[in-house]
Amino acid sequence: MNDTGTDLIPAPRRIRDALPGGGAGYVIDEDTEIDAGPGTERVARWLRATVGAATGLPLAPHGDDANRIMLRILPELAEEHGSHEAYRVVVDGYLVAIDGASETGLFWGAQTLRQLLGPEAFRRAPVAARTEWELPALVIEDAPRFAWRGAMLDVARHFLPKGDVLAYVDLLAAHKLNVLHLHLTDDQGWRLEIKRYPRLTEVGAWRARTKVGHRASPLWDERPHGGYYTQDDMREIVAYAAERHITVVPEIDMPGHSQAAIAAYPELGNTDVIDTTSLSVWDTWGVNPNVLAPTDTTLAFYEDVLTEVLEIFPSPFVHIGGDECPKDQWRASPTAQARIAEEGLADEDELQSWFIRHFDRWLTGRGRRLVGWDEILEGGLAEGATVSSWRGYAGGIAAARAGHDVVMCPEQQVYLDHRQAAGDDEPVPIGFVRTLEDVYRFEPVPPELDAAGAERVIGTQANIWTEVMESRQRVDYQTFPRLAAFAEVAWSRLPAPEARDFAAFERRMTGHYARLDALGVDYRPPGGPRPWQRRPGVLGRPIEGAPPIV
């Protein structure tokens, strides 16, 4: 088989020669047309806009020419492969055929075709006078392992302009990842326009300065930092992602990680404990003691916020955070203690659960599902909640055993802000060493779960926290190439971690680095950081040894 067919990432389920004894495959040229069957029009448009732009080929709608790329939706592929995202690509001496169990499956097949064409197909315009593009003769049959294949992008700690977010949508799509979880609010910034409460962005989207590096660092960037997405900006991002079969899941963090909101509207905080009017948007990192007050005013405020969020995001899931909520202010607050007594709650943990349950019911009543970090287990899990298991596997195991859906994203394995090597040159080294191979050997379903529990693991997610990533360039470095390994874990049916052929994956990555180059991704090279990727003198917080399995 032509080697072009063997460097696909993520690895497909089945791949074989299309012609007995091998064959020359198929050549796409200026006469190649797109034969778009019913329901395939958006994928045809994407092929013209991306592959057409990169190759310079017109890829005109099909007329009478037999030279064609044929797009079809074949629902029977879903039954055959157990997923509506299944697809089949056939390249032989007669045509290129891409079949999808649905439009989504067809789109993933089109992404595979783009990889088969080589790295130049990932550019935005042709770079050589080339009129023919040869494809190997092969048959690929493929479907994903998990329904939720996500990446969390933290735009609250460091704001990423809209164009950078759109570029990340394209990067997720190129790796067959289908969920973009946007962390939109935190102590350090509120990034989404809420028309009923304009001070959330007028005040909450801006901080006066920023800690450089870990919170123990003595360094500060004295420039103001901030930014936010207008509602139309976000509708554009959501629509752009939908065209690429990616769901954008918004996160509005509560009741912790909320100082930016309290700075904008001081009545949201525990006014009977501290002077909330003195708070500003936080300029450093860590767990913040200033949390929302468990009052009717706060509940109504966030219901108003979420009402506007639901109008922008069609996602069935809405993430409400729920993590790292210190209870000290609630213990000291007569108002919070009165709420505990009024609701018959045992303690402050149950008060947080009461807060989360309120929004679980509120979202359920509007046809949506609440997702939260695994702290929402404390004090009792809201009935319909899905758990993002971040502190390890334990929260996800408990939630799955209790009949809740789980997205596995353990910090020790797939937090991409953690350093990629032990060398002194790694920029702002945070956490455990998580190499490309470590990520490739990550297994989302822990062996402690029985078959019923394993079914509750609906997917997995890599999280990109940006406290020490001040720009798209830094995000690229921390994210790639490890996100490519993660994408294969999420999509492909791999052997047990110790049996995975990492050497073969590395060989396929050789071709994939060229694709990332064409896309303009400032990834970490296999040999270590380039000079401009280093951050000498900026303090991190490395943790030595192998990460625990918890």
Side-chain angles (χ1 to χ4, degrees):
M1 183 192 298
N2 185 316
D3 285 343
T4 308
T6 64
D7 66 357
L8 297 173
I9 290 178
R13 191 171 289 188
R14 287 193 287 272
I15 184 168
R16 58 182 171 84
D17 289 322
L19 302 173
Y26 196 79
V27 173
I28 293 176
D29 59 23
E30 292 176 338
D31 296 323
T32 301
E33 299 171 344
I34 295 180
D35 182 358
T40 71
E41 295 82 5
R42 285 204 307 176
V43 177
R45 182 166 68 239
W46 179 86
L47 278 169
R48 290 190 188 97
T50 54
V51 173
T55 60
L57 302 179
L59 300 178
H62 181 55
D64 298 325
D65 201 313
N67 179 355
R68 60 192 169 129
I69 300 170
M70 184 171 66
L71 309 179
R72 295 182 300 180
I73 294 176
L74 302 179
E76 57 267 29
L77 288 177
E79 295 181 20
E80 187 177 339
H81 295 284
S83 171
H84 77 280
E85 296 184 85
Y87 71 87
R88 178 174 59 213
V89 174
V90 179
V91 181
D92 57 23
Y94 302 99
L95 83 167
V96 177
I98 308 175
D99 302 324
S102 64
E103 186 191 33
T104 302
L106 185 75
F107 180 72
W108 303 134
Q111 288 285 1
T112 294
L113 173 67
R114 189 187 188 193
Q115 288 199 19
L116 292 172
L117 287 167
E120 287 183 17
F122 287 80
R123 296 189 178 275
R124 295 192 182 188
V127 295
R130 181 175 174 185
T131 59
E132 294 186 344
W133 298 71
E134 184 178 351
L135 292 165
L138 46 69
V139 177
I140 298 169
E141 295 176 288
D142 202 7
R145 179 185 179 190
F146 291 108
W148 182 304
R149 307 179 302 280
M152 190 286 303
L153 188 57
D154 171 17
V155 295
R157 270 53 176 273
H158 278 101
F159 177 69
L160 281 180
K162 179 185 70 176
D164 290 344
V165 177
L166 294 174
Y168 256 75
V169 169
D170 281 328
L171 287 170
L172 298 192
H175 292 83
K176 299 187 174 72
L177 297 171
N178 68 344
V179 174
L180 173 60
H181 168 179
L182 281 181
H183 183 74
L184 291 167
T185 73
D186 215 295
D187 300 304
Q188 297 85 4
W190 185 287
R191 304 293 176 219
L192 178 66
E193 176 190 28
I194 300 297
K195 294 187 176 179
R196 182 159 184 166
Y197 300 116
R199 285 176 60 83
L200 285 171
T201 46
E202 290 171 0
V203 174
W206 309 94
R207 59 180 182 260
R209 63 176 188 168
T210 300
K211 175 67 72 174
V212 177
H214 184 256
R215 62 180 174 272
S217 165
L219 304 177
W220 292 91
D221 183 343
E222 296 292 347
R223 297 173 298 174
H225 176 84
Y228 66 92
Y229 310 103
T230 67
Q231 292 195 1
D232 281 348
D233 287 338
M234 193 52 68
R235 288 188 178 95
E236 179 185 354
I237 291 168
V238 168
Y240 191 84
E243 285 267 332
R244 288 147 185 81
H245 298 270
I246 292 170
T247 299
V248 181
V249 174
E251 181 180 352
I252 304 297
D253 219 332
M254 62 177 99
H257 287 286
S258 298
Q259 184 163 317
I262 298 168
Y265 292 92
E267 65 271 22
L268 298 174
N270 294 284
T271 57
D272 54 353
V273 177
I274 64 163
D275 177 11
T276 57
T277 63
S278 68
L279 296 177
S280 58
V281 178
W282 212 25
D283 55 14
T284 188
W285 320 118
V287 178
N288 188 304
N290 298 305
V291 303
L292 297 175
T295 63
D296 291 343
T297 296
T298 300
L299 297 180
F301 183 98
Y302 275 84
E303 286 175 3
D304 291 341
V305 168
L306 290 173
T307 296
E308 295 192 28
V309 167
L310 298 189
E311 291 170 354
I312 299 166
F313 297 89
S315 164
F317 294 94
V318 175
H319 207 295
I320 51 76
D323 63 317
E324 295 181 329
C325 179
K327 310 299 193 299
D328 293 342
Q329 289 184 1
W330 288 353
R331 292 188 187 99
S333 165
T335 302
Q337 293 303 310
R339 178 68 81 180
I340 289 173
E342 176 188 338
E343 300 292 337
L345 306 174
D347 54 20
E348 290 76 19
D349 283 342
E350 283 200 6
L351 181 59
Q352 178 169 343
S353 177
W354 168 85
F355 195 104
I356 301 300
R357 286 174 186 269
H358 175 88
F359 287 100
D360 181 60
R361 291 190 299 270
W362 191 91
L363 288 167
T364 299
R366 287 152 183 80
R368 306 297 181 97
R369 296 181 63 185
L370 180 146
V371 192
W373 303 111
D374 56 53
E375 284 95 332
I376 68 173
L377 289 158
E378 297 167 4
L381 187 57
E383 185 176 346
T386 296
V387 170
S388 299
S389 189
W390 78 272
R391 291 180 295 181
Y393 289 100
I397 291 170
R401 285 175 173 166
H404 291 266
D405 287 343
V406 174
V407 177
M408 282 293 185
C409 50
E411 171 189 21
Q412 302 84 355
Q413 315 299 326
V414 288
Y415 268 35
L416 299 185
D417 53 325
H418 283 216
R419 56 197 174 128
Q420 303 188 63
D424 293 336
D425 287 337
E426 287 304 308
V428 201
I430 298 293
F432 296 102
V433 172
R434 293 285 84 194
T435 65
L436 183 66
E437 181 172 0
D438 291 330
V439 174
Y440 190 66
R441 297 193 189 280
F442 164 61
E443 173 49 49
V445 180
E448 294 92 331
L449 288 177
D450 60 17
E455 286 292 316
R456 285 292 183 178
V457 180
I458 61 172
T460 183
Q461 184 169 288
N463 291 340
I464 306 160
W465 296 104
T466 63
E467 288 95 333
V468 298
M469 299 182 219
E470 74 283 358
S471 66
R472 161 81 191 279
Q473 185 183 47
R474 281 286 289 123
V475 172
D476 279 359
Y477 178 90
Q478 291 297 134
T479 304
F480 288 98
R482 292 184 295 181
L483 196 67
F486 174 81
E488 185 146 311
V489 168
W491 178 278
S492 306
R493 293 186 179 272
L494 299 176
E498 63 277 5
R500 293 177 189 173
D501 191 346
F502 178 69
F505 177 77
E506 274 193 309
R507 288 193 292 273
R508 284 185 286 124
M509 278 301 300
T510 301
H512 199 65
Y513 285 121
R515 296 181 192 120
L516 296 178
D517 285 331
L519 287 165
V521 177
D522 199 30
Y523 59 85
R524 181 190 190 275
R530 300 178 175 96
W532 63 86
Q533 293 172 324
R534 299 168 187 158
R535 294 292 187 275
V538 179
L539 184 69
R541 184 177 172 266
I543 304 175
E544 301 304 329
I549 305 297
V550 293

